[in-house]
Amino acid sequence: LDDQAETVLLGLARGAGATSLQGMAAGADLDGVRLLRPLLDVRRTTTRTACAAEGLDPWDDPHNADPRFARVRVREKVLPVLEAELGPGIAEALARTAAQLREDADAFDEMIDETIEDIVEHAEAGISVSVAALAANPAALRNRIIRHVVASEFHQSLARSQTLEVARLVTDWSGQGPIDLPGCRARRVGGRIEFTAR
């Protein structure tokens, strides 16, 4: 739980968006390997107490004490100040926030999967999305669809500023030219936004 709180706080400080604020998943697939974090809801002190009670000697990664790493500074300096100034329970609140955002993201992902089937078509050297369909969706869903299309088709992540520039092709169209993005280019062609490989 402490690691989760640190992850969320670092994501918040970096302005990394809702995906980063979801923190770590209890289970995830990483390069075909299932990664499980069964103790994600357990505080570090509880884990250490349990190890001591069982006579176990836990291994401490030396990087976890090196202040050159932002995560260590958050753990040793920032979270204690937040607890002292705002009251106890900050780590738990950050972990709850991550869980709530993960639930929201799961719902959005399901909505995106259902929506994309109807609004996306393959285009020459890429993929295209209906402008009218994107415009009909709220900004949060529209932006997620744009990011999803680029990630799934070109295996690239878009920064928020890049996502908003593509969204302007839908919501604030004034004849602007193509937008260079990581791994692809977006442009409006008639009633569609085309994403093509660069």
Side-chain angles (χ1 to χ4, degrees):
L1 187 138
D2 300 87
D3 289 347
Q4 184 76 299
E6 294 158 12
T7 300
V8 173
L9 196 54
L10 282 168
L12 183 61
R14 293 175 179 144
T19 301
S20 179
L21 298 182
Q22 294 172 37
M24 298 173 283
D29 291 315
L30 189 63
D31 296 328
V33 176
R34 186 75 175 149
L35 176 65
L36 299 175
R37 297 179 180 99
L39 303 177
L40 199 55
D41 294 330
V42 181
R43 296 292 310 257
R44 184 175 286 113
T45 55
T46 302
T47 305
R48 289 192 174 283
T49 300
C51 287
E54 293 296 322
L56 300 173
D57 187 21
W59 177 78
D60 286 309
D61 184 338
H63 292 101
N64 286 338
D66 189 338
R68 292 180 299 167
F69 298 104
R71 178 177 292 280
V72 174
R73 294 191 304 275
V74 165
R75 178 181 307 131
E76 293 180 354
K77 296 181 180 181
V78 177
L79 279 170
V81 167
L82 290 174
E83 292 269 342
E85 296 298 323
L86 301 177
I90 297 297
E92 290 87 349
L94 290 166
R96 277 194 311 275
T97 298
Q100 291 165 359
L101 286 170
R102 187 169 301 286
E103 289 171 1
D104 289 351
D106 289 345
F108 266 124
D109 289 346
E110 189 173 313
M111 291 170 68
I112 288 168
D113 288 342
E114 291 172 4
T115 303
I116 276 185
E117 291 179 14
D118 296 329
I119 67 172
V120 171
E121 293 177 6
H122 286 285
E124 189 175 329
I127 197 164
S128 73
V129 185
S130 163
V131 168
L134 284 173
N137 283 295
L141 188 55
R142 178 172 46 248
N143 294 340
R144 283 178 182 259
I145 290 169
I146 290 167
R147 288 192 302 270
H148 180 82
V149 165
V150 171
S152 61
E153 188 72 17
F154 303 100
H155 310 292
Q156 298 289 332
S157 296
L158 295 183
R160 178 159 175 80
S161 60
Q162 294 165 326
T163 304
L164 293 177
E165 281 302 304
V166 174
R168 284 186 62 235
L169 296 175
V170 174
T171 61
D172 192 19
W173 172 244
S174 58
Q176 61 264 44
I179 300 168
D180 287 330
L181 302 168
C184 67
R185 176 173 288 139
R187 66 184 182 136
R188 183 163 171 164
V189 179
R192 303 197 69 80
I193 304 298
E194 286 189 354
F195 296 88
T196 54
R198 287 197 297 139

